[in-house]
Amino acid sequence: MIEISIEKELLGSLGKMDLCVDLQIEKQSFVALSGQSGSGKTTLLRILAGLEKAKGRISVDQEVWLDQNVYRVPQKRGIGFVFQDYALFPNMSVLENLLFVKKDKVLAEQLLEMTELGELAHRKPATLSGGQKQRVSLCRAMMNRPKLLLMDEPLSALDPSMRTKLQHEILSLHKAFETTTIMVSHDPSEMYKLSSRVVVLSQGKIVQDGDAKSVLLRTQGSQKFSFEGELLDIVKVDVIYVAIVAIGQQIVEVVLDEGEAQNLRAGDTVNIGTKAFAPILHKK
Amino acid sequence: MDFEFTQVWHPLVLSLKTLGFVGVLLVVLGIPLAYLLSKEELKYKWFIETLVTLPLIFPPIAIGFLLLLLLGKYGWVGSYLNQIGIRFIFDFKGLVLAGFVAALPLMVKPLQSAIELFPKAIKEAAYMSGKSPLYTLCFIVLPSIRKSLVAALLIALARALGEVGITLMLGGNIVGKTDTISLAIYNAVFDGDYPLALSLCSILIVVSLAVFAALHFLERRDQVL
């Protein structure tokens, strides 16, 4: 069990704010941490890792990492950390990167095998692709069999197909090592696939906390489906109005009447949903 | 040619010996100093930084004079050192000190910025692997910036080789004792012995070309790795 109760003053996107988090995390669980940029996600991870100081208390399996009198340095916390930009040791080969953490060749080879990196063991990080680098970083984080694995948007710099592949690898590593994991992510499908619990931060406070389905599903009441999107433009065509909305990587048109159009401005965040028709799912 | 072989040989050996000691001092003191200055939260950082950079801006001859006042037989520091038998003035130690002071900013400043620019996340990854900042510096940071390190060292040594002003003040330009190769050129020109000056110059040209070749070789090797 990991118990977190911390406070820290931050300079967020809207000026000063207080990061104030109370969380209990079950052993071996996989928690996704979400929220807008500047909401304090990365800072929370860094406080857990001991890279930043904060007021409050952190205890992991009865060990106190932080309280009024204790501050355990990052070296002594037994943490695995996966950075968004990999942070591999540039002067070492893939295998050396892993062995630097712990001289355990058997574990290193097992990890490289699991992530299909066996062939690349003697390559330098500079010669690897983004996806390969992040797999090395993931293996490296697992080398000291961490009590807690922290991942800060590990897949956000990768293309969609590589992302899916790595999601599977993260999941299989999580199953094999049963490491308690906290991952910062913005991708709902990723959070749904990987995590058992989703925590949403806003302005330094937890605003939602629950299983992936209850937090991520956006439909309300009898809605068949609902998407969140950004309103790009409203165009008047004869007597009707057409709203152009960006949903993820796609752009769609929705017909509005005059009353609806008057309340909306380009740049608004909107929900698109429907109640009457059953959506049709086609395989592409 | 009507000059003696020792007139070339002696200054050359003296310069190389000085460079050897300066090189060791630059590695032993320059690297920790660069690391210290790369820390953001260092107290009196501006003061140490000014002290290290001073010889780059301040005229060498004036630096030499100030060091002479400081380390002379009756100087503020020199009088104490003299009592325990350490002498810098008109001595080989003075040459090493002169070369070191002149070369230090050229070693420390580029190295400091290379350490500062080294990604923070990589250092943090090493800390979370259980490694201390010193271990991380020695096994991750310095090996990763070795090209900058060696380039800084070579350029600093080249500066020490050409040192005249401080060396003149501290060493006294005693022929056969403290006349480094650069001072020997000055002496030869002063005596109107142009062939000797030219020979000494050629040696400096060869040494400089060797430094360039070494820098080039390092760059090539780095690309292959």
Side-chain angles (χ1 to χ4, degrees):
Chain A
M1 177 78 115
I2 299 173
E3 289 176 73
I4 304 161
S5 170
I6 51 126
E7 233 178 277
K8 186 182 171 87
E9 195 175 84
L10 295 183
L11 273 176
S13 49
L14 302 169
K16 270 190 186 171
M17 66 170 196
D18 280 320
L19 178 70
C20 189
V21 174
D22 276 287
L23 258 184
Q24 273 87 41
I25 295 169
E26 294 292 329
K27 230 177 159 177
Q28 299 171 7
S29 61
F30 196 121
V31 177
L33 195 58
S34 184
Q36 288 179 333
S37 354
S39 60
K41 306 178 299 287
T42 299
T43 309
L44 178 59
L45 283 203
R46 292 178 63 81
I47 290 170
L48 285 173
L51 297 171
E52 276 185 42
K53 293 190 176 171
K55 277 188 266 177
R57 187 184 154 85
I58 300 171
S59 68
V60 178
D61 303 340
Q62 319 302 327
E63 280 177 15
V64 178
W65 283 5
L66 179 81
D67 71 10
Q68 275 178 327
N69 311 312
V70 181
Y71 162 70
R72 192 178 278 218
V73 292
Q75 283 89 342
K76 296 263 161 69
R77 294 195 181 196
I79 272 185
F81 202 109
V82 179
F83 292 88
Q84 188 183 349
D85 50 4
Y86 328 122
L88 297 175
F89 307 133
N91 57 320
M92 298 181 182
S93 71
V94 169
L95 186 62
E96 285 166 346
N97 260 277
L98 271 58
L99 295 177
F100 180 80
V101 180
K102 200 176 180 193
K103 301 257 174 292
D104 184 346
K105 215 166 174 197
V106 179
L107 177 63
E109 276 165 4
Q110 184 198 345
L111 284 165
L112 291 180
E113 217 50 57
M114 281 179 80
T115 49
E116 299 170 22
L117 288 169
E119 303 272 308
L120 307 175
H122 299 290
R123 293 258 292 268
K124 284 275 171 74
T127 65
L128 303 178
S129 72
Q132 290 165 339
K133 281 183 196 166
Q134 199 54 295
R135 271 137 83 196
V136 178
S137 169
L138 188 62
C139 292
R140 186 182 64 182
M142 299 304 293
M143 273 307 285
N144 57 0
R145 296 181 186 272
K147 287 198 188 91
L148 180 60
L149 176 64
L150 303 171
M151 297 195 274
D152 191 4
E153 298 186 44
L155 309 179
S156 60
L158 307 176
D159 64 67
S161 65
M162 185 47 72
R163 214 181 264 203
T164 313
K165 191 171 160 53
L166 259 127
Q167 284 163 0
H168 288 297
E169 280 168 7
I170 290 175
L171 206 57
S172 58
L173 282 172
H174 180 66
K175 279 187 182 146
F177 290 87
E178 297 182 323
T179 313
T180 314
T181 306
I182 303 177
M183 177 181 74
V184 171
S185 175
H186 289 292
D187 181 350
S189 74
E190 186 173 294
M191 291 190 262
Y192 189 86
K193 271 192 247 175
L194 298 176
S195 65
S196 48
R197 180 176 169 193
V198 176
V199 174
V200 183
L201 277 184
S202 174
Q203 288 295 305
K205 312 273 185 304
I206 295 175
V207 288
Q208 272 181 296
D209 183 356
D211 62 85
K213 201 173 162 187
S214 68
V215 173
L216 296 168
L217 274 183
R218 292 293 164 87
T219 48
Q220 295 160 358
S222 60
Q223 277 185 327
K224 297 283 183 190
F225 65 82
S226 172
F227 297 122
E228 194 175 286
E230 187 194 349
L231 184 60
L232 296 179
D233 200 6
I234 297 177
V235 187
K236 189 166 191 271
V237 182
D238 298 331
V239 290
I240 56 158
Y241 290 83
V242 176
I244 297 160
V245 184
I247 302 169
Q249 302 292 315
Q250 297 225 0
I251 290 177
V252 293
E253 288 182 330
V254 180
V255 176
L256 304 174
D257 62 34
E258 196 172 349
E260 288 171 318
Q262 271 172 357
N263 294 325
L264 294 167
R265 296 278 171 279
D268 285 349
T269 302
V270 292
N271 269 313
I272 298 184
T274 180
K275 289 180 182 177
F277 306 102
I280 303 160
L281 219 59
H282 275 298
K283 189 175 175 178
K284 255 175 93 178
Chain B
M1 284 199 249
D2 52 358
F3 53 84
E4 286 175 34
F5 178 63
T6 51
Q7 283 178 288
V8 176
W9 184 245
H10 186 267
L12 176 65
V13 171
L14 185 65
S15 276
L16 291 179
K17 217 168 101 182
T18 311
L19 277 194
F21 279 92
V22 170
V24 171
L25 281 178
L26 285 176
V27 170
V28 174
L29 299 176
I31 294 176
L33 199 58
Y35 175 65
L36 203 69
L37 286 173
S38 71
K39 286 178 179 279
E40 279 168 27
E41 69 274 23
L42 181 73
K43 265 190 180 176
Y44 307 117
K45 183 176 169 169
W46 62 271
F47 179 71
I48 305 173
E49 221 159 26
T50 311
L51 217 59
V52 171
T53 325
L54 204 63
L56 210 58
I57 304 151
F58 214 53
I61 203 94
I63 294 267
F65 178 61
L66 291 177
L67 283 174
L68 189 65
L69 284 182
L70 203 67
L71 298 171
K73 206 170 173 181
Y74 304 105
W76 299 312
V77 180
S79 53
Y80 295 104
L81 289 176
N82 209 35
Q83 281 172 9
I84 51 170
I86 299 173
R87 281 185 55 192
F88 280 97
I89 310 307
F90 306 146
D91 193 89
F92 177 68
K93 287 193 208 74
L95 302 183
V96 173
L97 182 68
F100 176 68
V101 168
L104 194 63
L106 289 168
M107 171 79 179
V108 168
K109 292 310 285 179
L111 197 57
Q112 179 191 344
S113 61
I115 295 175
E116 278 168 353
L117 287 175
F118 191 76
K120 197 172 146 201
I122 298 178
K123 286 187 268 183
E124 290 173 344
Y127 300 160
M128 282 182 285
S129 310
K131 307 295 188 265
S132 69
L134 183 66
Y135 192 90
T136 307
L137 177 75
C138 296
F139 292 93
I140 305 285
V141 182
L142 291 178
S144 302
I145 57 165
R146 62 186 181 283
K147 217 167 97 179
S148 312
L149 175 67
V150 176
L153 184 62
L154 283 175
I155 290 168
L157 285 176
R159 169 71 183 86
L161 183 65
E163 216 319 289
V164 172
I166 311 173
T167 311
L168 189 67
M169 280 288 171
L170 291 186
N173 193 11
I174 304 165
V175 176
K177 194 181 173 200
T178 58
D179 58 336
T180 57
I181 199 157
S182 301
L183 282 174
I185 294 175
Y186 173 77
N187 293 340
V189 174
F190 198 74
D191 295 342
D193 192 350
Y194 279 32
L196 174 61
L198 205 59
S199 308
L200 290 164
C201 259
S202 334
I203 290 171
L204 283 187
I205 290 169
V206 171
V207 173
S208 310
L209 285 177
V211 170
F212 267 115
L215 283 173
H216 184 68
F217 173 74
L218 273 165
E219 233 162 72
R220 285 274 302 271
R221 212 182 61 136
D222 227 56
Q223 280 165 3
V224 174
L225 281 177

